[in-house]
Amino acid sequence: MASGVDTNEELSQERIGEYIFATVNEYKEGLGWYAKQNPGVMDSYMKFTEACFEPGSLSEKDKHLIALAAVLQRQDEYCISYHATRAFDCGATDRELVEVIAVCSAVGGGSSMTQGVTLLRDVIESRTTTH
């Protein structure tokens, strides 16, 4: 893992990529489950969320980078994986995500650095083995 500590429990980059993929899929499955339970609310929520991330004065990529900064502050692993993946899908670079860690750390202190140098590092590094 990103901790740099050699242990028997340490995950390979391939397994980290699988974890991140599984995390995003688990979130999507949860949304599907909730949509069956409360379709009206879910439909409205999805339309709202999609509208929020449509390109406007800010690109979709920039909006996912902003969202990534917010969820790093909250230490939300599902959303960190999701928004980092979406930012990459929209053309973000590893360097842009590294700079998000720095900005979050400057305004949020240790928790942003902790999540940034562990989970977000795993997202970045998993891409080098899967792409």
Side-chain angles (χ1 to χ4, degrees), residues 7-57:
T7 70
N8 292 332
E9 302 295 321
E10 192 164 335
L11 295 174
S12 68
Q13 289 302 317
E14 181 178 331
R15 289 201 50 218
I16 292 168
E18 291 169 3
Y19 168 77
I20 293 162
F21 180 78
T23 299
V24 171
N25 277 342
E26 184 176 11
Y27 169 69
K28 289 179 179 181
E29 288 173 8
L31 291 176
W33 172 85
Y34 189 74
K36 291 176 185 174
Q37 308 306 311
N38 202 347
V41 169
M42 190 64 194
D43 183 55
S44 296
Y45 173 78
M46 293 305 291
K47 285 179 183 175
F48 169 74
T49 301
E50 289 168 9
C52 290
F53 284 91
E54 287 180 7
S57 297

Side-chain angles (χ1 to χ4, degrees), residues 43-98:
D43 183 55
S44 296
Y45 173 78
M46 293 305 291
K47 285 179 183 175
F48 169 74
T49 301
E50 289 168 9
C52 290
F53 284 91
E54 287 180 7
S57 297
L58 296 171
S59 69
E60 183 180 359
K61 177 187 82 170
D62 289 340
K63 290 180 178 188
H64 282 288
L65 291 172
I66 291 167
L68 180 59
V71 297
L72 274 171
Q73 289 292 323
R74 290 191 356 244
Q75 298 188 40
D76 182 336
E77 289 189 19
Y78 288 96
C79 290
I80 291 169
S81 295
Y82 177 78
H83 288 291
T85 300
R86 291 296 299 128
F88 280 131
D89 291 345
C90 293
T93 64
D94 292 355
R95 185 69 197 161
E96 288 174 309
L97 271 69
V98 167

